[in-house]
């Protein structure tokens, strides 16, 4: 199972012209039930960056002490 996620960040500065209606930036990604995320998009309004998971190396798990 996977879920599309979008997280929006808003400015808290009182003199910011964007106000509460427009986020300062947004992060979007697909979150899988195992905690791995893919299809990352960082949208800053004027430009956006994207990334996709290409290689995944699972490390050996050890118990917590």
């Amino acid at each position: 199972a996977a879920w599309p996620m979008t997280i929006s960040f808003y400015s808290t500065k009182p003199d910011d012209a964007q106000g509460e209606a427009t986020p300062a930036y947004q992060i979007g990604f697909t979150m899988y039930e195992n905690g791995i995320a893919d299809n990352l998009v960082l949208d800053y309004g004027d430009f956006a960056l994207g990334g996709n998971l290409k290689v995944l190396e699972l490390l050996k798990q050890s118990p917590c002490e």
Side-chain angles (χ1 to χ4, degrees), residues 21-58:
T22 305
Y25 65 96
Q26 294 182 339
I27 299 173
F29 53 92
T30 303
M31 177 63 72
Y32 295 91
E33 64 183 344
N34 60 3
I36 296 173
D38 191 16
N39 303 320
L40 176 67
V41 176
L42 304 171
D43 185 352
Y44 294 99
D46 293 335
F47 67 95
L49 303 171
N52 289 307
L53 182 64
K54 297 293 181 188
V55 176
L56 176 64
E57 178 183 347
L58 298 176

